[in-house]
Amino acid sequence: MPVTPTVAPGAPGIPARWTSSAKSGVGTSLSPAGRIWFTISHGILNEVYYPRVDSACTRDLGLIVTGPDGYFSEEKRDAAHAIEPFEDGVPAYRLVNTATDGAYRIEKRILADPARPALLQEITFTPLKGASSDYRVYALLAPHLVNAGMGNTAWVGDHKGKPVLFASGRGICLALASSLPWASCSAGYVGFSDGWQQLHNTGELDPACQRAEDGNVALTGEIGFSGVKTTALLALGFGATSDEAAENAFASLKRGFAATAGSYVRNWRAWQAGLLPLDRHGASGINFYRVSTAVLATHRSTAVPGAAVASLSIPWGFNKGDDDLGGYHLVWPRDLVETAGGFLAAGDAASALRILGYLRSIQQPDGHWPQNAWLDGSAYWPGIQMDECAFPLLLADALHRAGHLPRARLSTFLPMIERAATYVVRNGPVTGEDRWEEDAGYSPFTLAVEIAALLAAADLLDACGKKDAAAYLRETADGWNDQVERWTYVTGTAICEETGVDGYYVRIAPPDSAEAGSPKDGYVPIKNRPPGDTDRPAEEIVSPDALALVRFGLRAADDPRMIDTVKVIDAQLRCDLPQGPLWYRYNGDGYGEHEDGAPFDGTGQGRPWPLLAGERAHYELAAGRMDKAAGLLAALEGSAGFGGLLPEQVWDGADLAERELLHGRPSGSAMPLVWAHSEHIKLLRSLRDGAVFDMPPQGPKRYIEDRTVSPFRTWRFNHKIRTLPVGKTLRIELLAAATVRWSTDNWATASDSQTRENAFGIHLADLPVSGLPGATTLTFTFFWPGTGDWENVDFSVISTGQDSR
């Protein structure tokens, strides 16, 4: 008696979750017509992205094997996995999944079709026990259209008389077709009526479950393997309609795997051939350089040239649902500039130029860049990080110095450069968030980027004939550089005594407040910590971030303050692992798994970051210690997963095999992290060149060689200094024209100074008080001609006997 197709029971399914972020492979076709990006983990496909690299459309697509006597095996859980690329630098993959009970072997070849939005899997099933007729093999697909697992609809249908598995959601459709036509099929709700539940519980698919609407859904189809038909080709097609998705899937099936693979490989060979030969094979045989370059290229957008996401993963995705729409498949301007640096180091200036063009297109009208954004530039998180607002200036300068942005082309970027420089000088040096996206204040890393960027922008403005504007940027950079130590360097602390040093740079110091003698006397709220266990004195928190003062050329590697800081960093943050030393972001970090290995859920315990080994290697290189830098390169590469991808963090505890956490191996954080691969490429280039590849030249010349010191100290409403070193001129900077009335004798006498407006919309007045003796109080207030009002508040600055640096 025929079964009437029905909607599957169990709507809407269990809450949707993403999957493991520990990828072993990522790929794309490098073709504008392809518009597919894919990821692999545990021997199966995970997220597939379409039509943009920021739009995840699947959770995973794997196989289930059933057999006699209730046999049930899921390849991602019940098999040992091996993966290798087709060839160095070509991210198409061969996978071998061997059942841990020895029953079967599944071999796959996976790539994306360059001609259309479809993904191909060639699958060969080989029984190792018994005969082919003993087993049935099912494809299990979990759609997550688009960036969400709920609200999807799945159904079993056909296209031109051929059976197809379909799903739709948020205006996108997918179609899964097979060269060996599907036998039994089902559509159901995850956790209740999906194919996994059916096969696990009964060994059969329920033919009545043909549709599952508006929920967390799954599709299952039996692949028609037999004793003579041991290889099948699956095509996952995408489109705006179900028909379009099916047309793309069947077109890929018709073309076949060999022809599709030929064009896929040619695209990648052609791109890799244009790169510098920095190849490096590890002991495992992996060419880490070509893996890193392929990772960078895979994360680029085709629809939006120059855009690239931070990672095709969702950290601890198996513990996250639809409330995390973006994961790491978003654009972070900082990561994007780091990616551009990786392309430049590899010899691909064209990609770096496209990135600069994209950054120009998403710059906000006031000159800043969003904390992170979708490809169209719309902000995802609302924070503002001053290093992200400054980094594009460093990229423009690097391209200009390398001859890739000549004067004629530089002028097209001039509005972007001027807006960015304006934002930095008007809103810095304090950042709303540091580079770890957590705290406001004075960060050595952010300060280094800001100061280096202002010097770089000054050179770019000079090249465009804007001498006065360039001079002001250098004056501002000099003033900030002079105060890095006042803001972030501490002495005489308990850590100094423990480590045997005079002082060190802190991770971050809070913004100036009336209650603290200097920023470093305040408290820092540590994020990702349990309530009531957050605030720490700034002097107790250290970070490798201070190495940026050397990386960006503001301090010499052998500066005694840097040497002492490195000792403190090693005493507090170094973690010796089998692959070599790695470092934590800062002491007290809560961004990582819990102590028992449970995934990060808003709190946790920070783990070592491989990219920090790359940053430390660049410090060692700046100090002339090539051997140490090379050793740290090995530690960085030794932190990769077995597919050669670099993780955000590695596990530093004892093995927890049940949680897939092994000592020194990738944790559940993002993998690959494009930023880490960019750092890897830059380190290879730096070691080849014998010098730090991306160190801007302006800082070393100005501050290390020439030892330039600022004649000014600047007072602003958003940066009210309280002291003025003897011999310094007090510069008042305002956002509107004013008369500055000032006195050095408690208003017994007074002088007036008129502000002048500069190219950045800043109204400034330099008060000639450099000859004031120490302990003199300078008092001042403002008259605002625009409104005809007096400020009616007195401000004061006390001259001190020594420079704050």
Side-chain angles (χ1 to χ4, degrees), residues 85 87-89 272 277-294 637 643-644 680 684:
E87 58 188 66
D88 286 350
Q272 292 280 4
L278 302 175
D279 298 73
R280 174 183 167 87
H281 288 81
S284 62
I286 294 174
N287 187 330
F288 284 104
Y289 172 61
R290 298 296 170 175
V291 170
S292 287
T293 54
E637 293 176 344
H680 173 244
L684 289 172

Side-chain angles (χ1 to χ4, degrees), residues 19-210:
T19 189
S20 171
S21 57
K23 309 305 179 189
S24 53
V26 294
T28 190
S29 66
L30 291 184
S31 167
R35 294 181 292 160
I36 290 283
W37 295 259
F38 65 91
T39 68
I40 294 170
S41 175
H42 297 80
I44 69 169
L45 278 167
N46 289 160
E47 296 95 349
V48 177
Y49 295 77
Y50 166 87
R52 307 189 322 184
V53 70
D54 61 353
S55 301
C57 288
T58 67
R59 179 185 189 273
D60 56 18
L61 170 55
L63 302 180
I64 292 173
V65 179
T66 65
D69 301 319
Y71 182 81
F72 178 95
S73 178
E74 188 175 11
E75 61 173 338
K76 72 177 180 182
R77 291 187 174 93
D78 303 321
H81 312 118
I83 184 171
E84 64 177 10
F86 277 24
E87 58 188 66
D88 286 350
V90 177
Y93 300 95
R94 299 184 186 90
L95 282 67
V96 179
N97 299 328
T98 305
T100 52
D101 61 8
Y104 63 83
R105 181 176 62 246
I106 295 170
E107 298 168 85
K108 302 179 183 178
R109 294 195 295 170
I110 299 177
L111 48 74
D113 189 341
R116 58 191 59 82
L119 185 140
L120 286 178
Q121 284 194 86
E122 182 188 72
I123 301 172
T124 300
F125 178 77
T126 304
L128 302 178
K129 293 180 180 178
S132 296
S133 58
D134 292 333
Y135 298 97
R136 292 183 176 183
V137 181
Y138 300 84
L140 175 64
L141 170 62
H144 274 221
L145 298 155
V146 171
N147 288 328
M150 305 305 292
N152 289 261
T153 293
W155 69 98
V156 178
D158 71 275
H159 180 73
K160 298 180 179 178
K162 297 178 180 178
V164 182
L165 304 180
F166 289 106
S168 65
R170 283 161 281 274
I172 299 296
C173 294
L174 62 77
L176 182 61
S178 173
S179 63
L180 299 179
W182 300 116
S184 58
C185 298
S186 81
Y189 293 101
V190 175
F192 292 94
S193 55
D194 62 280
W196 192 97
Q197 296 289 335
Q198 296 173 30
L199 294 170
H200 184 266
N201 295 335
T202 69
E204 301 285 344
L205 292 181
D206 183 349
C209 292
Q210 298 287 287

Side-chain angles (χ1 to χ4, degrees), residues 410-430:
L410 177 61
S411 62
T412 66
F413 288 93
L414 184 58
M416 181 201 84
I417 293 165
E418 290 179 314
R419 284 196 298 270
T422 298
Y423 191 86
V424 172
V425 295
R426 287 167 69 109
N427 295 278
V430 169

Side-chain angles (χ1 to χ4, degrees), residues 337 353 355-369 389-397 399 405 410-424 457 460-461 760:
V337 173
L353 273 168
I355 287 173
L356 187 65
Y358 170 74
L359 286 166
R360 176 179 57 184
S361 75
I362 67 167
Q363 186 184 30
Q364 303 302 295
D366 66 356
H368 86 276
W369 277 271
C389 301
F391 259 124
L393 294 169
L394 291 173
L395 175 58
D397 178 59
L399 287 163
L405 201 61
L410 177 61
S411 62
T412 66
F413 288 93
L414 184 58
M416 181 201 84
I417 293 165
E418 290 179 314
R419 284 196 298 270
T422 298
Y423 191 86
V424 172
L460 296 171
L461 292 177
F760 302 97

